[in-house]
Amino acid sequence: MDNTKLVFNIEGIKCLTIKREDLIHSVVSGNKFRKLKYNLIQAKKENKITLLTFGGAYSNHIMATAAAGKLEGFKTIGVIRGEELFNKIENNPTLSYAKSCGMQFKFISRNDFKHKNDIKFIEALKQEFGDFYLIPEGGTNKLAIKGCEEILTEADKDFDYICVPVGTGGTIAGIINSAKPSQQVLGFSALKGDFLKEDISKFAKQDNWQLITDYHFGGYAKINMELITFINTFKNVHGIPLDPVYTGKMMFGIIDMINKGVFKKNAKILAIHTGGLQGIQGMNIRLKQKQLPLIQ
């Protein structure tokens, strides 16, 4: 695995280093690889042959599960939020790729999707599809946390701050658990609001962390011209692609906080690039419809 780190010298801090978890695999990359690793091992231990999980139309997790399932010999089922997507698979890069990996879909209403964790709902899925290994939406469970605890290594012990994007809270929980007590873990939420604190606290074993909620750009998968320009400029200058849902917002936030003097002087900052670059293709479809510039 290539876990390249790229270092930038910025006035006011000692260094900003990006840990390229996105380079693990072209599709099963970053935190998706980490979250699936031990779940797939457990599925094999239980002699399961099918993986079932949940996600939206442009879910990185859906795409990664389909790809990982194909690589490891599992059948895969994706329960997708939005009945209207049933006849639009070929127009959706995420779903069409997952389908090419052999994933079977069940499209349900947004209201039904809210019940995805209910026992009765899960039992109904078992009646329909037979036995399966259940992976929650976004992939976050105890085994996912275990995988994410491996993101940080001994080589990362000297950083003052560890920055990571936050979706469901699993990745940051794993990083919190493996961080040194002296390190401050900052989670940049891709969602509007601070409700994720409770979810993170369920798995986090330390209290050296903070949820940053100022850079969601209006909420999950929301984007504007300022963020588009930042992502494209960052790639042109540094050669590193950022996705518009997670890593783009995190890096924007980190740079803004550096410029505002939020970090202590001569701080060493490590930013975790969690992958998710497949989301660019889907976002560009939406941007084109709105006649906005595309993400490179």
Side-chain angles (χ1 to χ4, degrees), residues 61-77:
H61 172 66
I62 286 291
M63 193 168 177
T65 301
K70 182 179 180 180
L71 287 170
E72 295 296 325
F74 290 99
K75 296 178 182 177
T76 55
I77 300 168

Side-chain angles (χ1 to χ4, degrees), residues 2-7 17-20 153 155-156 159 270:
D2 186 346
N3 210 17
T4 306
K5 295 179 182 178
L6 294 168
V7 183
T17 303
I18 298 180
K19 191 163 189 174
R20 299 290 305 275
T153 67
D156 304 318
F159 287 97
L270 179 65

Side-chain angles (χ1 to χ4, degrees), residues 74-231:
F74 290 99
K75 296 178 182 177
T76 55
I77 300 168
V79 181
I80 309 299
R81 180 179 61 247
E83 292 173 304
E84 73 281 1
L85 297 167
F86 178 78
N87 294 317
K88 300 178 181 178
I89 295 174
E90 300 308 323
N91 297 324
N92 181 297
T94 300
L95 298 180
S96 61
Y97 180 87
K99 181 181 177 181
S100 74
C101 292
M103 177 171 273
Q104 179 181 352
F105 299 120
K106 179 179 176 64
F107 296 93
I108 62 175
S109 68
R110 284 163 173 75
N111 185 62
D112 287 345
F113 197 84
K114 295 176 183 177
H115 302 289
K116 61 185 181 293
N117 297 322
D118 295 352
I119 294 176
K120 287 185 178 180
F121 187 78
I122 301 300
E123 286 302 317
L125 289 174
K126 288 183 178 179
Q127 289 293 322
E128 181 175 355
F129 295 109
D131 191 30
F132 53 75
Y133 183 86
L134 178 66
I135 301 176
E137 182 184 16
T140 293
N141 57 18
K142 288 184 178 180
L143 291 175
I145 306 302
K146 180 180 178 181
C148 290
E149 288 173 355
E150 296 178 352
I151 293 174
L152 294 183
T153 67
E154 191 65 19
D156 304 318
K157 65 179 181 180
D158 293 328
F159 287 97
D160 302 300
Y161 299 92
I162 312 295
C163 299
V164 62
V166 177
T168 57
T171 304
I172 188 175
I175 287 174
I176 292 166
N177 294 345
S178 57
K180 301 295 182 184
S182 60
Q183 294 177 313
Q184 183 73 13
V185 180
L186 303 180
F188 289 77
S189 179
L191 288 74
K192 195 173 183 178
D194 60 359
F195 60 91
L196 284 168
K197 288 181 179 178
E198 184 177 346
D199 292 334
I200 296 168
S201 297
K202 292 177 184 177
F203 296 105
K205 298 175 182 178
Q206 302 189 80
D207 59 4
N208 58 334
W209 61 278
Q210 180 182 352
L211 188 65
I212 308 296
T213 59
D214 299 327
Y215 302 101
H216 53 70
F217 284 84
Y220 181 74
K222 297 293 180 65
I223 191 172
N224 61 19
M225 274 298 302
E226 186 178 23
L227 185 59
I228 295 170
T229 300
F230 173 81
I231 290 172

Side-chain angles (χ1 to χ4, degrees), residues 39-48 71-74 133:
N39 273 291
L40 297 189
I41 291 173
Q42 183 62 32
K44 289 183 177 181
K45 285 182 179 178
E46 296 179 13
N47 295 316
K48 305 288 187 180
L71 287 170
E72 295 296 325
F74 290 99
Y133 183 86

Side-chain angles (χ1 to χ4, degrees), residues 218-253:
Y220 181 74
K222 297 293 180 65
I223 191 172
N224 61 19
M225 274 298 302
E226 186 178 23
L227 185 59
I228 295 170
T229 300
F230 173 81
I231 290 172
N232 286 339
T233 301
F234 195 89
K235 184 179 180 183
N236 289 334
V237 174
H238 303 296
I240 302 175
L242 302 172
D243 86 281
V245 179
Y246 297 106
T247 57
K249 294 179 178 182
M250 174 190 69
M251 288 308 305
F252 183 98

